């Protein structure tokens, strides 16, 4: 690693060693048990260094500031504001509905961890020099991430929002038949009597939206072959920003529930787990740090291989 990338990687490790959730938990407690009417007032008081659960936070106010908009959702509990977004129906692993305060806490923690882990991922991913997330199975880049080829998968899928499809100049498959399938449908979508993943890389419009299909040996067209870096990094698709460490405070289920006003809303299950994908080189290198980060965040760490 070059020195600049070394610094970035070290910053990522430092962030893992000082997770945000213990601070959020403390701010929530101060808000709910004290006289402050807003989260901003709580943050105004956190100007001094703090020791929490054996961790030293030099400037808690500065660390929490970027998450203030998410933490403000706690204000509904004192009737100071309405929720910015409606929260889903949340059940425990025993399928029992969670109380309002517990549900709100899980919802906010999930959003905060999503944001924190996205930032940590961008610090750790670049310096690894790995491009596993940007290639199909058995690509010429596999050795950079420690794979020796012969993966079982036939293709990898990069789901795209409608607004992200134009980032890629590729052939598109958008037919009644493609829209009646998903990439995972069995039997698979056939294009010219051949399974879709046996064709060249292309954009597909499925029943559940668009995705970029990277068949065996393919490389995302936005990956620079000279630098091994994404050429549209700042506007890369949302899914490319996702870390290989996924917070599962909540997991979406296939169920829907009816709210009091008759509106149907998705059902989530409170899991309180964190999944780290073992294929990723930084996950393998930082197993202990990631495990400790999860535990300090009140989550059970799970390490799992995804690509075989
Ligand atoms: S858009 Fe960029 S980050 Fe996403 S798969 Fe392609 S090269 Fe990788
Ligand atoms: S596997 Fe990990 S290091 Fe490799 S591209 Fe994906 S996030 Fe980055």
């Amino acid at each position: 690693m070059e020195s600049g990338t070394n610094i970035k990687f070290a910053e990522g490790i430092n962030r893992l060693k000082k997770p945000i959730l213990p601070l959020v938990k403390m701010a929530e407690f101060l808000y709910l048990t004290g006289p402050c009417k807003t989260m901003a007032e709580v943050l105004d008081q956190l100007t001094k260094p703090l020791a929490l659960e054996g961790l030293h936070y030099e400037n808690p106010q500065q660390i929490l500031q970027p998450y203030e908009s998410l933490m403000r959702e706690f204000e509904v509990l004192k009737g100071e504001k309405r929720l910015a977004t409606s929260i889903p129906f949340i059940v425990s692993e025993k399928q029992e509905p969670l109380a309002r305060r517990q549900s709100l806490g899980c919802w906010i923690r999930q959003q905060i961890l999503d944001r924190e882990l996205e930032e940590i991922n961008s610090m750790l991913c670049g310096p690894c020099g790995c491009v596993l997330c940007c290639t199909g199975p058995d690509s010429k880049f596999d050795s950079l991430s420690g794979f020796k080829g012969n993966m079982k998968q036939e293709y990898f899928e990069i789901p795209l929002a409608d607004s992200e499809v134009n980032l890629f100049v590729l052939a598109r498959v958008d037919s009644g038949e493609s829209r009646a399938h998903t990439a995972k449908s069995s039997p698979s979508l056939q294009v010219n009597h051949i399974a879709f993943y046996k064709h060249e890389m292309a954009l597909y419009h499925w029943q559940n939206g668009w995705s970029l299909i990277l068949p065996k040996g393919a490389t995302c067209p936005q990956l620079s072959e000279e630098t091994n870096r994404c050429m549209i990094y700042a506007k890369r698709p949302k899914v490319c920003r996702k870390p290989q460490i996924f917070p599962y405070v909540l997991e979406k289920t296939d169920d829907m529930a009816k709210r009091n006003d008759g509106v149907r809303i998705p059902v989530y299950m409170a899991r309180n787990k964190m999944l780290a994908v073992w294929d990723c080189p930084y996950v393998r290198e930082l197993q202990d740090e990631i495990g400790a980060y999860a535990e300090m965040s009140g989550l059970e760490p799970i390490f799992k291989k995804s690509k075989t």
Side-chain angles (χ1 to χ4, degrees):
M1 266 185 226
E2 294 159 17
S3 70
T5 53
N6 248 331
I7 294 169
K8 256 295 168 251
F9 199 75
E11 273 175 30
I13 297 176
N14 280 338
R15 290 284 301 270
L16 282 175
K17 286 182 177 165
K18 287 197 185 165
I20 190 84
L21 275 196
L23 272 183
V24 171
K25 220 161 80 185
M26 183 210 59
E28 177 190 353
F29 177 80
L30 290 176
Y31 174 72
L32 291 174
T33 57
C36 291
K37 287 197 167 170
T38 64
M39 265 294 168
E41 286 175 38
V42 173
L43 264 55
D44 282 346
Q45 296 174 4
L46 300 176
T47 51
K48 297 203 177 106
L50 264 176
L52 269 184
E53 298 173 24
L55 299 171
H56 177 81
Y57 295 93
E58 186 57 32
N59 192 339
Q61 188 186 55
Q62 195 185 44
I63 300 169
L64 284 170
Q65 209 76 58
Y67 301 91
E68 192 209 323
S69 60
L70 297 171
M71 290 164 61
R72 251 188 260 145
E73 301 287 27
F74 282 120
E75 293 170 17
V76 292
L77 295 171
K78 280 193 178 177
E80 296 295 325
K81 76 184 279 280
R82 292 171 67 88
L83 269 181
T85 50
S86 65
I87 67 169
F89 189 74
I90 299 175
V91 295
S92 70
E93 287 183 323
K94 290 183 184 159
Q95 297 283 356
E96 288 160 353
L98 255 55
R100 183 167 171 255
R101 180 175 160 185
Q102 235 183 329
S103 294
L104 183 68
C106 287
W107 183 246
I108 296 172
R109 278 195 288 284
Q110 177 72 42
Q111 322 293 316
I112 289 176
L113 280 174
D114 276 341
R115 191 180 290 181
E116 182 180 44
L117 284 169
E118 187 181 316
E119 288 167 11
I120 293 176
N121 177 63
S122 42
M123 291 170 183
L124 298 175
C125 170
C128 284
C130 158
V131 290
L132 191 64
C133 296
C134 311
T135 57
D138 298 348
S139 88
K140 61 182 176 185
F141 295 102
D142 281 5
S143 57
L144 294 174
S145 43
F147 278 86
K148 293 192 186 77
N150 294 325
M151 291 186 191
K152 280 191 194 139
Q153 287 90 347
E154 295 284 354
Y155 66 91
F156 294 146
E157 180 183 20
I158 300 185
L160 301 170
D162 291 352
S163 58
E164 295 167 344
V165 178
N166 286 336
L167 291 170
F168 304 92
V169 183
L170 283 172
R172 297 182 183 203
V173 178
D174 184 3
S175 62
E177 227 189 318
S178 72
R179 291 182 191 210
H181 286 75
T182 69
K184 294 183 179 65
S185 292
S186 177
S188 304
L189 171 72
Q190 301 286 303
V191 179
N192 298 333
H193 309 293
I194 303 171
F196 71 94
Y197 51 79
K198 295 281 185 194
H199 289 270
E200 294 283 301
M201 153 172 62
L203 297 160
Y204 286 79
H205 197 174
W206 306 105
Q207 198 177 63
N208 54 347
W210 284 92
S211 71
L212 164 60
I213 295 295
L214 298 169
K216 275 187 186 284
T219 302
C220 171
Q222 294 295 7
L223 183 73
S224 159
E225 301 237 346
E226 278 99 62
T227 61
N228 289 356
R229 297 210 178 248
C230 176
M231 294 185 286
I232 52 162
Y233 191 76
K235 47 181 182 163
R236 68 200 187 285
K238 200 157 178 249
V239 73
C240 301
R241 297 160 195 264
K242 290 273 172 209
Q244 293 297 299
I245 315 170
F246 301 92
Y248 279 111
V249 179
L250 295 175
E251 185 172 20
K252 195 168 184 292
T253 71
D254 292 333
D255 299 336
M256 299 290 281
K258 210 187 242 180
R259 229 169 37 191
N260 290 344
D261 57 5
V263 174
R264 284 168 63 77
I265 53 170
V267 177
Y268 281 65
M269 187 172 279
R271 293 279 193 199
N272 291 320
K273 295 191 172 49
M274 202 182 77
L275 173 67
V277 179
W278 196 245
D279 313 289
C280 172
Y282 74 66
V283 170
R284 294 196 295 271
E285 186 175 338
L286 302 175
Q287 182 184 12
D288 291 345
E289 288 83 351
I290 292 169
Y293 169 92
E295 277 158 19
M296 288 185 285
S297 302
L299 306 174
E300 179 193 343
I302 295 171
F303 292 87
K304 202 171 153 195
K305 206 162 172 6
S306 140
K307 299 179 175 173
T308 49

